[in-house]
Amino acid sequence: MASATFRIWRGNKNGGEFKDYATEVAPGMVVLDAVHEIQATQAHDLAVRWNCKAGKCGSCSAEINGMPKLMCMTRLSTLPLNQPIKVEPMRSFPLIRDLATDVSWNYSVKTQIKPFRPRKPDTPDGTWRMAQADVDRVQEFRKCIECFLCQDVCHVLRNHHLHSQFIGPRFFVYAGALEMHPLDDENRLRELRDSQGIGYCNITKCCTKVCPEGIHITDNAIIPLKER
Amino acid sequence: MHEVDVQVTKFKFGQTSRIDLWWAQPLTVLLVLSAFVAYATWAAFQGVHYRFGPYLSPLYSPELWGNPLTAWIGGKPGWYPSWLVFSPAFFILPFPGGFRVTCYYYRGAYYKSFWADPPSCTVGEPRKTYWGERKLPLILQNIHRYFLYIALFFIADLAYDAWNGFWFNGHFGMGVGSIVLLVDVVLLGGYTFGCHSLRHRVGGVLDRLSGSPVRKKAHDCVSCLNARHMTWAWCSLCWVAFTDFYVRACSMGLIRDWRIF
């Protein structure tokens, strides 16, 4: 069986360092499998958040060789195993310990966005009619699993730390899903421009590049909102 | 908005954990864009050899002022400063240039390549301050939606030029240059009709597209082109430079324009 070295960040908000762990790897393994193997055999106190192991819960977000990825969806066969695989926590959020970060800022941001407000019912029985063609566009946005990889990679948050003025790509997708919804009657454009910082986005498309659900965040959510 | 105590790493310029060739793409963009700007500027300052037979260089089209025999309006205008070099291209290039400079795709590309903001995804930046596109001068990038209308006029004009490129002394024919001009307008059309602002204008602004079938069809078509906007952008940019080079080289006698029929 082949062996690979994983260079994993160990530490908390007061500091830390990378530590190397060599472990055996087998075909079909993903990074999360290797991290679990290391946790079980070499570093029992290694903090790592995970849940579904199927790329749908968005829990195991981390940075693998410098790129934000889901550990459970990153196959070892896609990585150069002849050199140490660097695994570190998301850098845009406060570190709790090792690979676990505090992403609660995102939940508070979500409360700032005006909720869904449907227009008056279309029929006397209090129901609405909408065409599939009209919801196709926003259904793409509903694929978001809230892994916050897009928030992590966005340089406005990552490098400039404008968390108090910029809601980040995830919430432009969320706002876009509401704003473009055929039944929604609310207007969120003023907040998006004035307090939620859509003008900070300079369209680097890094968010689109790292989205594990393949959502075209920049082209289908952010730019249409900028155009509105 | 909610404050967050983000005790994150302060990344130095170029600092990253990435091990791939992250610098290759921004460097390529820097070199190709710089080469195009240098060539287009040089070609614009020439003021001659922009027409050969029925072919007109896209850098000089439409020829508003220029050769009195072929220009739309006439020769060099009287109000033109005598101390300034005259070239018909000077009246043209600011408009397609403005459309490209403010294009959503190019913005993201040249912010990385020319301004390192960021150099690439998850790579440290050289500056600590950041305004984004919220303030002057970059808030002016929003003028893109108005440049779009001028760009659409240019597509019509270049299509007319491409049609003219098939007429030799009143007879329909085809030379290599005819194909070069035709490809040029097709690529520019693919780029312009895939514009994000056009996508918004034709249908993206509506929440209920199903009620407007024509606009829905238009939105679907623009979206289809928009999905390859980057490809269209680079192909059309390079082909514009090549088309000018082809017409110029024919006009200067450096190459022969082969007639197919």
Side-chain angles (χ1 to χ4, degrees):
Chain A
M1 193 176 273
S3 176
T5 301
F6 289 81
R7 186 162 289 166
I8 300 176
W9 176 262
R10 300 301 310 271
N12 55 31
K13 64 179 182 180
N14 298 319
E17 60 182 349
F18 284 101
K19 285 190 177 175
D20 285 358
Y21 300 93
T23 187
E24 290 185 338
V25 296
M29 277 179 72
V30 294
V31 171
L32 186 59
D33 293 330
V35 169
H36 278 163
E37 180 69 18
I38 291 164
Q39 189 187 45
T41 59
Q42 303 175 52
H44 306 302
D45 59 343
L46 174 62
V48 54
R49 190 182 284 127
W50 63 280
N51 199 342
C52 74
K53 296 179 78 175
K56 288 299 166 195
C57 72
S59 301
C60 63
S61 302
E63 297 186 10
I64 300 164
N65 281 346
M67 280 303 282
K69 292 180 178 179
L70 293 178
M71 286 189 283
C72 72
M73 298 303 287
T74 308
R75 285 187 177 272
L76 297 185
S77 58
T78 64
L79 300 170
L81 297 181
N82 57 349
Q83 51 186 300
I85 306 300
K86 216 171 186 178
V87 185
E88 52 194 310
M90 290 193 287
R91 295 298 191 182
S92 295
F93 306 114
L95 182 65
I96 299 174
R97 192 160 65 89
D98 301 337
L99 299 179
T101 49
D102 175 8
V103 295
S104 59
W105 169 77
N106 293 284
Y107 307 136
S108 66
V109 168
K110 201 168 190 177
T111 63
Q112 314 285 318
I113 297 170
K114 288 179 182 171
F116 181 69
R117 190 184 73 183
R119 64 172 189 255
K120 289 179 181 173
D122 297 335
T123 56
D125 66 356
T127 59
W128 292 265
R129 301 288 178 269
M130 62 179 179
Q132 179 62 43
D134 294 334
V135 285
D136 279 344
R137 181 162 54 162
V138 295
Q139 279 183 336
E140 179 193 12
F141 305 148
R142 298 295 294 271
K143 292 193 299 180
C144 177
I145 58 173
E146 295 206 322
C147 60
F148 303 124
L149 292 176
C150 57
Q151 305 283 75
D152 181 45
V153 79
C154 178
H155 74 124
V156 183
L157 299 172
R158 183 186 185 87
N159 290 344
H160 300 290
H161 310 146
L162 291 171
H163 294 70
S164 59
Q165 301 166 59
F166 180 71
I167 61 175
R170 158 59 192 137
F171 297 105
F172 293 132
V173 167
Y174 180 65
L178 295 170
E179 197 61 29
M180 299 176 201
H181 197 285
L183 297 190
D184 183 76
D185 215 10
E186 187 60 88
N187 187 341
R188 301 166 188 82
L189 300 180
R190 179 184 287 271
E191 289 83 0
L192 282 167
R193 189 188 63 216
D194 294 342
S195 61
Q196 296 170 352
I198 196 167
Y200 277 119
C201 172
N202 69 345
I203 321 152
T204 61
K205 292 199 176 186
C206 293
C207 50
T208 303
K209 198 174 285 184
V210 302
C211 179
E213 285 294 315
I215 301 171
H216 296 90
I217 299 173
T218 318
D219 289 324
N220 291 351
I222 298 178
I223 292 175
L225 287 175
K226 277 180 174 248
E227 283 290 316
R228 288 187 176 209
Chain B
M1 196 183 295
H2 180 72
E3 292 284 344
V4 62
D5 179 24
V6 194
Q7 297 165 325
V8 292
T9 312
K10 300 285 184 187
F11 294 97
K12 297 173 187 170
F13 178 40
Q15 184 185 349
T16 182
S17 294
R18 287 176 65 173
I19 56 172
D20 59 340
L21 301 177
W22 59 264
W23 44 267
Q25 188 172 352
L27 180 64
T28 306
V29 169
L30 181 107
L31 293 175
V32 176
L33 270 186
S34 299
F36 177 83
V37 170
Y39 177 80
T41 306
W42 173 82
F45 270 89
Q46 299 310 299
V48 290
H49 295 304
Y50 55 86
R51 195 181 275 278
F52 177 73
Y55 310 144
L56 175 61
S57 162
L59 298 181
Y60 285 76
S61 181
E63 185 187 11
L64 298 176
W65 289 278
N67 184 340
L69 298 175
T70 54
W72 286 16
I73 300 174
K76 180 180 172 182
W79 48 263
Y80 195 84
S82 57
W83 50 267
L84 192 61
V85 178
F86 176 76
S87 169
F90 293 162
F91 302 103
I92 304 305
L93 289 184
F95 301 104
F99 183 61
R100 295 242 175 202
V101 166
T102 59
C103 164
Y104 283 105
Y105 165 68
Y106 281 113
R107 274 146 71 176
Y110 67 70
Y111 286 145
K112 285 180 184 166
S113 301
F114 287 83
W115 201 239
D117 206 4
S120 191
C121 304
T122 73
V123 179
E125 299 176 23
R127 284 168 296 277
K128 291 177 180 170
T129 55
Y130 179 73
W131 295 345
E133 297 182 338
R134 282 168 63 94
K135 295 180 180 177
L136 284 170
L138 293 183
I139 197 171
L140 292 177
Q141 300 277 33
N142 291 307
I143 205 169
H144 183 63
R145 64 200 61 160
Y146 304 110
F147 271 120
L148 166 68
Y149 296 110
I150 304 174
L152 291 172
F153 162 75
F154 273 81
I155 295 301
D157 170 65
L158 292 171
Y160 178 69
D161 286 349
W163 172 249
N164 281 341
F166 286 88
W167 292 90
F168 298 83
N169 298 320
H171 298 286
F172 187 78
M174 181 189 284
V176 172
S178 314
I179 299 170
V180 170
L181 260 64
L182 183 63
V183 171
D184 182 59
V185 72
V186 168
L187 293 175
L188 284 169
Y191 170 63
T192 306
F193 290 117
C195 167
H196 291 88
S197 292
L198 182 64
R199 187 180 183 219
H200 171 75
R201 183 56 54 200
V202 299
V205 65
L206 301 176
D207 290 341
R208 278 177 276 175
L209 264 173
S210 61
S212 311
V214 175
R215 294 186 73 174
K216 180 174 185 330
K217 190 70 184 170
H219 182 257
D220 290 347
C221 290
V222 175
S223 297
C224 182
L225 291 170
N226 181 264
R228 296 278 180 276
H229 201 45
M230 180 182 81
T231 307
W232 289 111
W234 286 115
C235 291
S236 60
L237 186 85
C238 294
W239 200 265
V240 164
F242 174 72
T243 306
D244 177 84
F245 171 78
Y246 184 86
V247 174
R248 188 170 298 281
C250 288
S251 173
M252 294 171 74
L254 299 177
I255 58 172
R256 182 183 168 194
D257 177 54
W258 290 93
R259 283 287 296 276
I260 298 168
F261 64 86

